[in-house]
Amino acid sequence: MNLYPNLRRGILLSVLYVVVLLCNASTSTSYSSSEAITIKPRHLSLLKSALQRPSGEQSDLWKPMTDQGWSPCIDLEDPPSLPDKTKGYIQVFLDGGLNQQRMGICDAVAVAKILNATLVIPFLEINPVWQDSSSFVDIFDVDHFIESLKDDVRVVKELPEEYSWSTREYYAAAVRETRVKTAPVHASAQWYIENVSPLLHSYGIAAISPFSHRLSFDHLPGEIQRLRCKVNFQALRFVPHITSLGDALVSRLRNPLWRSEKDRKSVDHLGDMTNPNSRHEPGKFAVLHLRFDKDMAAHSACDFGGGKAEKLALAKYRQMIWQGRVLNSQFTDEELRSQGRCPLTPEEMGLLLAAFGFDNNTRLYLASHKVYGGEARISALRQVFPRMEDKRSLASSEERARIKGKASLLAALDYYVSMHSDVFISASPGNMHNALVGHRTFENLKTIRPNMALIGQLFLNKSITWVDFQQALGEGHVNRQGQIRLRKPKQSIYTYPAPDCMCHV
């Protein structure tokens, strides 16, 4: 007699189990199972308009940058020869992510040049966030690096036997006389001459740690500035397996019929490059750097539409990581957005690109590590740009095997593809954005720099029409698509290479 109640109970439990599975599937792995955050579009009216926009892109979107009268000039006509002897060895220990370490490497070469020292290939610290132990030789082509700089500074892969004691572990164990811990942020060349040269004279070696941002951008000789650019834009080349995989991804983006019939998905999101409804040239693609990880979201103190559960989750994470020390938290969400201090969500980036004129046939490459909210957060962007691709969709598991779980190598691959794109845009300022803006400026490539304050104010206007949204964005980005901007005092030479490393011709 108890059979039917038990049967009903079993069916009910089965239904509940399926519901839980579906909820978990729609919720990002970036959230814990206890957060139960629901992500809904925040700009529904604009999103509907973006989805209904006609096919056919603006004709000037894919046009390359015209000659702006500037060209790279980093090589001296008659470079001075290296002195016969150096004063000793310089070691640096670099923390941060790939692009922060990249700037540190450039600065290390410059400091070695200033001191007439031999640079030991920089040691890359394990990133505490990504837990990536990749070394210099895992990321960059070390032989090319040394060969490119042979006329500028001496570089060695490792210390000679007599200095083999000078290791990371040696400096971590106690206070050492050969370690420089007091280098101020943006130190002058004279500071290094006065404070590090004596160590080289006494011990033949100096280890500088911490080193990130330890060299000024101003008041340096022109040859030192040009050397920094030479390192960044020429000497730092990724290892062959990154460049070869990058070339393969670029080729597939430019030739969307590369998939064989056997490998095609039921929905071909690469599509036919000869689609008559799309007016852009075949083979063009854009890169979107979507800087929207949990760290970024928590540190900004902005509201991203995940409701009370998301606010509590980010507040808890913020307290755990920074003990609540987030300066932005003293402002309201409206104040932060109006000041352009909120990272743009995937939905907002989709609306921006659509308003700029990119249509739903656009081949868009998503350069990103982990998106906070996962696929649930990305879904609105994917609706607007159904042919969006990333590393996972373009490369096989076998091709990705050597970079799997390696945040620095994944970032290097994204950097490489970004440098080969027709258009690059980043969701918010940051190390990768700044590095690529500078590198693409150096190469005169089209790069859209979002006007964050304007964009924040537009998204706060919940009654704005699609036409007004498009017009305001267009007017606010007329001169933000790769035009040369001269570096101002204290600004990074790696983001603004002109006029230090570019000549007006």
Side-chain angles (χ1 to χ4, degrees):
M1 294 296 294
N2 293 329
L3 175 62
Y4 293 110
N6 289 338
L7 180 60
R8 287 197 299 271
R9 188 180 299 111
I11 293 173
L12 178 59
L13 289 173
S14 298
V15 171
L16 288 174
Y17 179 72
V18 171
V19 170
V20 170
L21 286 178
L22 290 174
C23 290
N24 287 340
S26 64
T27 304
S28 164
T29 55
S30 297
Y31 301 121
S32 68
S33 58
S34 62
E35 293 178 20
I37 296 170
T38 302
I39 300 171
K40 298 179 180 179
R42 302 195 72 195
H43 312 285
L44 195 55
S45 177
L46 291 176
L47 182 59
K48 288 180 178 177
S49 297
L51 292 173
Q52 294 169 1
R53 72 196 188 281
S55 295
E57 298 169 311
Q58 296 177 4
S59 59
D60 60 347
L61 274 176
W62 299 103
K63 286 183 178 178
M65 296 296 296
T66 57
D67 185 356
Q68 300 183 65
W70 290 84
S71 63
C73 53
I74 55 178
D75 291 314
L76 299 175
E77 291 184 5
D78 297 308
S81 58
L82 286 173
D84 293 335
K85 294 182 64 176
T86 67
K87 293 183 178 180
Y89 293 91
I90 289 289
Q91 285 180 294
V92 296
F93 302 92
L94 303 175
D95 55 13
L98 172 69
N99 293 292
Q100 186 174 339
Q101 290 173 336
R102 184 187 186 104
M103 304 306 108
I105 293 166
C106 300
D107 286 348
V109 172
V111 168
K113 180 70 172 181
I114 291 169
L115 298 176
N116 182 26
T118 297
L119 176 68
V120 184
I121 289 295
F123 180 92
L124 308 185
E125 304 273 14
I126 297 177
N127 189 295
V129 176
W130 308 125
Q131 291 297 308
D132 187 353
S133 59
S134 298
S135 67
F136 185 104
V137 298
D138 294 324
I139 304 169
F140 301 107
D141 185 334
V142 66
D143 292 326
H144 173 78
F145 181 77
I146 294 173
E147 177 66 21
S148 298
L149 300 173
K150 66 180 182 180
D151 295 327
D152 302 289
V153 65
R154 290 181 176 86
V155 182
V156 295
K157 296 181 182 179
E158 56 186 26
L159 287 166
E161 184 64 27
E162 63 186 292
Y163 295 109
S164 61
W165 48 265
S166 185
T167 64
R168 188 69 186 88
E169 292 73 23
Y170 173 77
Y171 293 108
V175 175
R176 307 296 186 182
E177 292 180 322
T178 52
R179 179 183 174 184
V180 179
K181 294 181 64 176
T182 57
V185 174
H186 299 155
S188 67
Q190 189 61 32
W191 187 93
Y192 282 98
I193 293 171
E194 293 176 356
N195 293 273
V196 181
S197 284
L199 293 181
L200 296 176
H201 178 75
S202 299
Y203 303 100
I205 189 170
I208 310 173
S209 178
F211 186 71
S212 295
H213 311 297
R214 276 357 193 235
L215 182 63
S216 173
F217 290 119
D218 303 315
H219 310 302
L220 290 172
E223 67 168 347
I224 297 297
Q225 297 289 59
R226 287 188 290 270
L227 177 59
R228 296 166 96 176
C229 291
K230 181 176 182 178
V231 179
N232 193 30
F233 304 134
Q234 291 185 0
L236 283 175
R237 187 168 71 185
F238 296 124
V239 289
H241 74 88
I242 289 293
T243 59
S244 61
L245 181 54
D247 286 336
L249 267 55
V250 170
S251 176
R252 291 164 193 175
L253 285 161
R254 295 201 182 283
N255 302 280
L257 298 180
W258 68 272
R259 297 184 194 274
S260 67
E261 291 296 329
K262 178 181 177 181
D263 295 329
R264 284 185 187 276
K265 299 178 181 179
S266 57
V267 177
D268 179 11
H269 55 253
L270 277 176
D272 185 352
M273 63 188 286
T274 61
N275 189 325
N277 294 321
S278 180
R279 296 189 299 174
H280 66 70
E281 296 177 41
K284 303 287 187 181
F285 76 95
V287 167
L288 166 61
H289 176 229
L290 195 55
R291 189 170 180 241
F292 197 79
D293 55 39
K294 193 168 186 176
D295 267 14
M296 187 73 177
H299 199 268
S300 69
C302 299
D303 178 17
F304 301 107
K308 184 177 180 180
E310 183 174 74
K311 289 182 180 179
L312 290 173
L314 289 177
K316 181 179 179 181
Y317 182 79
R318 194 178 298 133
Q319 182 64 32
M320 179 180 66
I321 300 298
W322 300 292
Q323 291 75 50
R325 298 190 302 272
V326 176
L327 297 178
N328 286 344
S329 59
Q330 62 187 295
F331 299 100
T332 66
D333 185 70
E334 288 75 15
E335 290 172 332
L336 291 172
R337 290 190 179 279
S338 65
Q339 297 168 20
R341 295 164 71 177
C342 292
L344 299 174
T345 66
E347 175 194 358
E348 290 167 341
M349 286 308 304
L351 295 175
L352 252 64
L353 290 171
F356 284 140
F358 293 96
D359 71 8
N360 60 6
N361 292 308
T362 297
R363 288 180 285 281
L364 183 66
Y365 178 85
L366 184 62
S368 183
H369 183 61
K370 287 184 179 179
V371 175
Y372 181 55
E375 188 58 37
R377 183 80 74 183
I378 296 173
S379 60
L381 173 62
R382 199 179 298 281
Q383 287 181 61
V384 181
F385 294 98
R387 295 181 179 178
M388 185 172 68
E389 300 282 352
D390 57 21
K391 296 179 287 290
R392 189 177 183 84
S393 66
L394 285 173
S396 68
S397 57
E398 291 80 8
E399 288 175 313
R400 301 195 311 272
R402 294 184 68 178
I403 62 174
K404 185 178 180 180
K406 300 287 187 180
S408 294
L409 295 181
L410 291 167
L413 181 61
D414 280 340
Y415 190 104
Y416 187 85
V417 174
S418 297
M419 276 305 299
H420 288 76
S421 67
D422 299 281
V423 183
F424 174 81
I425 183 171
S426 183
S428 61
N431 289 325
M432 183 166 177
H433 164 91
N434 293 338
L436 279 162
V437 165
H439 203 158
R440 290 177 66 89
T441 296
F442 191 75
E443 302 288 350
N444 198 36
L445 300 173
K446 182 168 286 188
T447 308
I448 300 175
R449 294 182 299 103
N451 184 333
M452 299 296 288
L454 169 65
I455 293 166
Q457 293 162 19
L458 292 177
F459 280 129
L460 283 172
N461 183 356
K462 299 303 180 183
S463 62
I464 193 169
T465 65
W466 180 251
V467 172
D468 289 341
F469 183 69
Q470 276 188 301
Q471 183 177 347
L473 276 179
E475 293 173 352
H477 290 82
V478 170
N479 294 313
R480 301 179 70 91
Q481 300 186 34
Q483 289 80 3
I484 294 286
R485 300 176 72 199
L486 301 184
R487 189 179 72 84
K488 299 176 181 178
K490 296 184 179 181
Q491 286 184 330
S492 169
I493 195 172
Y494 306 119
T495 306
Y496 304 99
D500 302 83
C501 306
M502 302 184 74
C503 297
H504 201 15
V505 295

